[in-house]
Every structure is written in structure tokens, then in C-alpha cells.
Amino acid sequence: IVKPNKEQSSFFTKRESRRKIDPTSDNISKFREGREGAVVIGCDNKTDISKLKSQLPWSLGKNYSIEIPRLKRPKLKIVNISADDVAVEDSDDTIIAEIITSNGLNNKNLHMKVLKKSTNRYKNTNIIVEVDPKTHNGLLSQQKVKIGWSNCPVFNHISFLQCYNCMSFGHYAQD
């Protein structure tokens, strides 16, 4: 993402980018305008991203800041957990500990965070969990997750932004 510095009043336009950045030499695969004068530039792989990040300050000057956004972690939806095993009132740490111990997860880079807990019409618990990619692939390939005495189906959960004003995707109504 290329953003204008605070003291910079002008935006980084497509015309200006065409003069300063050669898309063929840097393997640029995506280019779109962002919020507040920012420009999002995408590359095909990590080496192209690091090469572009090192070259951009030379071609753009000190008027703009360049940052690589952090990738979002994948999410899993675990459904039909028996209320005897996990309840909505249970703490997030208790639920995470139960998932880790029941499934024998011992990844040293394990990241797990409960994002949402709810009950369905059968009084069973459903949860949405944010995990690291390795854990995501491992639990998703099993198709069922053990939590206490329950063997619960697990699904890939995809969330997206939607405007409830115009019903378009990628932004909120306030934006």
C-alpha cells in the first residue's frame, strides 16, 4: 500500500503511478485506488513484493510511505457442539484449551482466538475461531473436530464487508 505522508496534500494518482512505476519490470498483478489517497499494488509472489518495496522509495521520493499489509488469518466454524461440552457462557480460554487438548494440537506457532459464540435452535453451541494457516488446514482436513465428548463438523468460514446502504461489497455504509 502506498500512502501519502501526513504533510502531503495531493493523492497518488494513476497517471502519476504510470510515470513513476513500470508494471512490466516489477511483475505487478494488481493496482487499485484505496482510501484517503492510498494506492494498493499487488504482486504475484513475495520476492516481487520485497523487490518492489525496495524500489518504490527511489522512484516516489519521500512524499509517500510504503507498507505491506498483514494478511488475515483463516477462520473456522465449528457447529453442533453439545451444551454439556461447551456453553456460550464458557470463557474463550476454556474453549480454546478444550479444542487443543481434545485434538492433540501441539504446533509451537499455534494461534487460536474465539471470535463468536452462539446457540442454535437445538441448544447446541456454534463457534467461529480464528486460527493460523497450519492449524486451519489440519482441522479442516479432518472434517470433524473433537470437543469433549462431541465430534463436531468444521467448515471454512469466510467473512466479507458489505455496505447496508448500497448493498455492495468491500466497504461499510459509514465509508
Side-chain angles (χ1 to χ4, degrees):
I1 298 177
V2 178
K3 294 181 178 179
N5 290 334
K6 301 279 187 210
E7 60 274 351
Q8 181 75 11
S9 61
S10 66
F11 294 124
F12 187 60
T13 62
K14 284 186 178 182
R15 175 176 283 163
E16 187 177 355
S17 67
R18 287 191 179 112
R19 282 188 280 129
K20 295 185 176 187
I21 300 171
D22 181 18
T24 57
S25 66
D26 297 325
N27 295 327
I28 294 174
S29 60
K30 179 167 82 170
F31 180 88
R32 68 176 174 85
E33 293 179 0
R35 285 194 245 170
E36 299 173 5
V39 173
V40 178
I41 302 172
C43 295
D44 293 330
N45 55 46
K46 289 182 181 181
T47 56
D48 292 336
I49 290 171
S50 61
K51 181 180 162 188
L52 182 64
K53 186 177 179 186
S54 65
Q55 290 176 351
L56 281 178
W58 292 101
S59 58
L60 297 178
K62 297 179 181 179
N63 296 333
Y64 301 97
S65 63
I66 297 124
E67 62 184 54
I68 298 175
R70 185 179 63 91
L71 296 177
K72 293 183 179 180
R73 292 193 169 112
K75 298 175 189 127
L76 293 173
K77 184 173 186 177
I78 305 171
V79 297
N80 292 333
I81 307 167
S82 172
D84 296 334
D85 295 323
V86 169
V88 176
E89 298 82 29
D90 291 346
S91 72
D92 294 349
D93 294 333
T94 305
I95 295 171
I96 291 169
E98 186 66 34
I99 293 171
I100 290 171
T101 56
S102 297
N103 293 286
L105 300 174
N106 56 4
N107 183 6
K108 62 181 174 185
N109 295 328
L110 178 74
H111 168 80
M112 191 173 290
K113 179 181 177 184
V114 176
L115 298 177
K116 185 176 181 182
K117 300 179 275 190
S118 63
T119 57
N120 60 19
R121 63 181 175 175
Y122 303 111
K123 306 294 185 218
N124 291 331
T125 305
N126 299 332
I127 59 172
I128 297 174
V129 183
E130 180 183 79
V131 294
D132 61 279
K134 186 176 179 181
T135 306
H136 177 264
N137 293 337
L139 292 177
L140 203 56
S141 67
Q142 294 176 3
Q143 296 180 344
K144 294 215 180 235
V145 173
K146 290 176 74 174
I147 301 177
W149 291 92
S150 303
N151 261 345
C152 308
V154 62
F155 302 100
N156 194 14
H157 180 77
I158 300 170
S159 57
F160 50 88
L161 301 175
Q162 184 174 14
C163 174
Y164 290 108
N165 186 22
C166 69
M167 302 311 275
S168 293
F169 298 105
H171 66 275
Y172 289 123
Q174 65 190 15
D175 297 332

